[in-house]
Amino acid sequence: MAQVTFVHPGGSRSDVTVPDGVSLMEAAIDAGIDEILAECGGNATCATCHIYLTEGCANRVPPMTPLEDDMLEGTVAPRRPTSRLSCQLVGGPAVDGLVVELPEDQW
Ligand code: FES
């Protein structure tokens, strides 16, 4: 079980519990976070679950796969060095306490 804070574009924050083995994308949707669209259902083929890791968080999570890296080239909001797909980050100790920012647009 992990706690992850999603920061909305306007600055408000949503604290979300992410069960072990559940993706940040799934937990965000279950929590009603509208900025995560997840059109492909978590298969890393749509890039509509784009998030930005905040300072200090980027080095804590597992590295991205080549597929995730490719998909991040197609995000609507500009890619940053800390961009990730939330469907590819899974609940567990590595994500506990993460603070992530939601982009303005996913589509
Ligand atoms: S849900 Fe489609 S890439 Fe993450």
Side-chain angles (χ1 to χ4, degrees):
M1 197 78 82
Q3 293 294 320
V4 175
T5 299
F6 290 82
V7 182
H8 299 268
S12 63
R13 300 161 79 94
S14 297
D15 295 324
V16 174
T17 299
V18 184
D20 289 352
V22 172
S23 72
L24 269 61
M25 174 276 283
E26 292 172 288
I29 287 177
D30 287 349
I33 293 179
D34 294 336
E35 291 90 344
I36 299 293
L37 299 184
E39 293 284 329
C40 77
N43 293 313
T45 58
C46 74
T48 62
C49 65
H50 182 202
I51 58 171
Y52 301 115
L53 301 175
T54 55
E55 270 319 296
C57 293
N59 294 335
R60 294 183 38 201
V61 299
M64 68 181 71
T65 64
L67 173 61
E68 181 179 355
D69 193 20
D70 284 349
M71 288 309 300
L72 284 167
E73 293 299 324
T75 57
V76 171
R79 182 178 183 172
R80 299 177 190 165
T82 59
S83 287
R84 294 297 301 260
L85 298 178
S86 59
C87 70
Q88 301 301 300
L89 296 171
V90 175
V95 303
D96 190 32
L98 284 189
V99 178
V100 306
E101 295 176 352
L102 294 156
E104 291 272 356
D105 297 304
Q106 296 279 16
W107 189 253

